[in-house]
Amino acid sequence: MSDYDRLRQRMGRAVGQLFSQLPELARVWGQLFDAIEGAPVPLARLAKPLHQCRLAFITTGGVHLRSQPPFDMNDSRGDPSYRAIPANTPAEALTITHDYYDHSDAERDLNILFPLELGRELAARGAIGGLGTCYSFMGHIEPPHVTTLLQQTAPAVAVQLRQEQIDAVLLTPA
Amino acid sequence: MGLIARVIEAAGIPTVCVIGLREIAERVRPPRAVHLKWPFGHPLGEPGNRAQQLCVLYIALQALYTVQESGTILDPGWRWRREEYEEPDTWVMG
């Protein structure tokens, strides 16, 4: 990593920390979503008991396999792409590329952000029916990438979830 | 995150979001959300606090069955470290 990249990363983390301490700044984020205000919110019903449900987890915390390309931190409008992460992936095979929040705790214990290990445990003891392929995005997506997210990448994940017969999805933010 | 949840829910798969900023969720309106005003990067709690993490998983999964109205935001009011978390006894739901 070059000195410039290190500086960028440090600045990004500083902004993330500032963001987490100043909710007012974060509130401004909500204003980016005027376009969907008033649109109907869908509600699908979960018809099966939990022990029969295949779950998937999705995080917007920038998690990815070390072998996958990192999220693009050079575009200030965010990166609307996603990474598919097999349910059996060990935490050591994962890393986080996201400059806008402090993820040092999540790197110590990924369950606080993307609970693959807990999900596998719940599946092993029969509390849930199974854990399918999980997915990771990067948060902080701004126009025009919001359109890509809404029209391309999020629908692509929805198709894969259906193909894998996932019954319900838990989403966790950064 | 709420936008992704809406797309998946519209495809017929129930979703539940853990959120830290109620103000954003009120604008984006994910189908179901559990609000925990905890530090960024810690939606399920502290590293190593298994009971806390499982409590969040439990209440989020429970919301998949209990929420009857889209856009509902549940607020358990858990105060980060100032709370006694106990691992759920049973995961029987639905």
Side-chain angles (χ1 to χ4, degrees):
Chain A
M1 187 187 282
S2 70
D3 287 348
Y4 172 74
D5 287 340
R6 266 193 288 275
L7 178 65
R8 269 200 73 256
Q9 190 177 53
R10 275 205 295 273
M11 285 179 66
R13 287 204 176 139
V15 169
Q17 282 160 12
L18 183 72
F19 210 63
S20 58
Q21 287 160 18
L22 291 175
E24 191 53 41
L25 265 182
R27 268 186 208 115
V28 173
W29 259 84
Q31 295 169 5
L32 290 169
F33 300 106
D34 287 345
I36 58 164
E37 263 195 335
V41 182
L43 195 74
R45 302 285 173 188
L46 186 52
K48 289 180 185 173
L50 187 63
H51 70 91
Q52 290 178 10
C53 287
R54 280 174 56 73
L55 303 185
F57 298 147
I58 296 178
T59 185
T60 51
V63 177
H64 59 90
L65 291 168
R66 291 182 188 278
S67 58
Q68 288 171 331
F71 288 95
D72 179 8
M73 297 307 306
N74 291 317
D75 188 335
S76 61
R77 301 162 304 174
D79 178 348
S81 67
Y82 67 90
R83 308 287 179 272
I85 296 168
N88 62 359
T89 306
E92 310 82 73
L94 294 165
T95 189
I96 298 172
T97 300
H98 203 311
D99 291 351
Y100 301 151
Y101 76 102
D102 180 354
H103 39 80
S104 51
D105 278 353
E107 281 162 10
R108 279 165 54 208
D109 181 358
L110 195 59
N111 283 317
I112 70 171
L113 179 76
F114 193 49
L116 289 185
E117 195 184 320
L118 292 176
R120 289 194 292 261
E121 184 188 317
L122 291 177
R125 67 158 115 151
I128 63 174
L131 186 65
T133 304
C134 294
Y135 299 87
S136 177
F137 288 81
M138 199 198 108
H140 299 256
I141 312 289
E142 295 177 18
H145 298 327
V146 174
T147 306
T148 310
L149 181 76
L150 284 171
Q151 295 183 1
Q152 295 177 32
T153 51
V157 167
V159 166
Q160 291 174 58
L161 292 166
R162 284 189 67 96
Q163 282 171 347
E164 217 182 322
Q165 298 185 316
I166 295 300
D167 296 298
V169 175
L170 169 76
L171 296 100
T172 50
Chain B
M1 181 184 59
L3 296 176
I4 300 168
R6 286 174 65 135
V7 169
I8 293 169
E9 191 97 18
I13 302 172
T15 65
V16 58
C17 293
V18 177
I19 60 154
L21 291 167
R22 195 180 177 98
E23 294 83 357
I24 289 183
E26 284 171 353
R27 300 296 295 272
V28 179
R29 295 162 68 221
R32 299 170 199 78
V34 176
H35 172 232
L36 293 163
K37 198 174 178 182
W38 290 353
F40 274 26
H42 301 71
L44 271 69
E46 286 191 278
N49 194 337
R50 178 184 158 82
Q52 185 186 30
Q53 296 162 11
L54 287 170
C55 283
V56 178
L57 270 179
Y58 185 92
I59 196 168
L61 295 177
Q62 197 177 42
L64 291 165
Y65 294 98
T66 57
V67 167
Q68 300 294 319
E69 191 179 341
S70 61
T72 297
I73 301 174
L74 301 178
D75 206 332
W78 293 339
R79 299 161 302 166
W80 188 228
R81 290 176 181 157
R82 292 175 297 143
E83 210 72 53
E84 292 279 331
Y85 299 98
E86 286 184 22
E87 285 190 27
D89 292 335
T90 169
W91 290 77
V92 176
M93 298 181 200

Short mmCIF file of all heavy atoms in Angstrom, two decimals, chain A residues 43 84 86 102 111 126 140 143:
data_model
loop_
_atom_site.label_atom_id
_atom_site.label_comp_id
_atom_site.label_asym_id
_atom_site.label_seq_id
_atom_site.Cartn_x
_atom_site.Cartn_y
_atom_site.Cartn_z
N LEU A 43 -44.10 -6.50 1.80
CA LEU A 43 -44.00 -7.36 2.98
C LEU A 43 -44.33 -8.79 2.56
O LEU A 43 -45.47 -9.09 2.21
CB LEU A 43 -44.93 -6.90 4.10
CG LEU A 43 -44.61 -7.53 5.47
CD1 LEU A 43 -43.36 -6.92 6.08
CD2 LEU A 43 -45.77 -7.36 6.44
N ALA A 84 -20.33 -12.57 -3.23
CA ALA A 84 -21.00 -13.76 -2.69
C ALA A 84 -20.01 -14.49 -1.79
O ALA A 84 -18.84 -14.67 -2.16
CB ALA A 84 -21.45 -14.66 -3.83
N PRO A 86 -19.56 -17.95 0.48
CA PRO A 86 -20.12 -19.26 0.87
C PRO A 86 -20.31 -19.35 2.39
O PRO A 86 -19.51 -18.81 3.16
CB PRO A 86 -19.06 -20.25 0.39
CG PRO A 86 -18.29 -19.53 -0.68
CD PRO A 86 -18.31 -18.09 -0.28
N ASP A 102 -14.92 2.30 11.59
CA ASP A 102 -13.85 1.59 12.29
C ASP A 102 -14.25 0.12 12.42
O ASP A 102 -15.16 -0.22 13.18
CB ASP A 102 -13.65 2.23 13.67
CG ASP A 102 -12.53 1.55 14.45
OD1 ASP A 102 -12.00 0.53 13.97
OD2 ASP A 102 -12.22 2.04 15.55
N ASN A 111 -18.59 -12.01 14.05
CA ASN A 111 -20.00 -12.23 14.42
C ASN A 111 -20.72 -10.93 14.78
O ASN A 111 -21.95 -10.88 14.75
CB ASN A 111 -20.09 -13.18 15.62
CG ASN A 111 -19.89 -14.62 15.20
OD1 ASN A 111 -20.41 -15.06 14.18
ND2 ASN A 111 -19.11 -15.36 15.97
N GLY A 126 -29.90 -27.31 14.68
CA GLY A 126 -31.27 -27.48 14.21
C GLY A 126 -32.21 -26.32 14.53
O GLY A 126 -33.42 -26.43 14.34
N HIS A 140 -23.06 3.30 2.09
CA HIS A 140 -22.70 4.66 1.63
C HIS A 140 -22.74 4.76 0.11
O HIS A 140 -21.84 5.31 -0.52
CB HIS A 140 -21.30 5.05 2.12
CG HIS A 140 -21.19 5.09 3.61
ND1 HIS A 140 -21.19 6.26 4.34
CD2 HIS A 140 -21.12 4.10 4.52
CE1 HIS A 140 -21.10 5.97 5.62
NE2 HIS A 140 -21.05 4.67 5.76
N PRO A 143 -26.08 8.46 -5.45
CA PRO A 143 -26.33 8.55 -6.89
C PRO A 143 -25.02 8.83 -7.64
O PRO A 143 -24.18 9.56 -7.10
CB PRO A 143 -27.29 9.73 -7.01
CG PRO A 143 -27.92 9.86 -5.65
CD PRO A 143 -26.88 9.41 -4.67
#
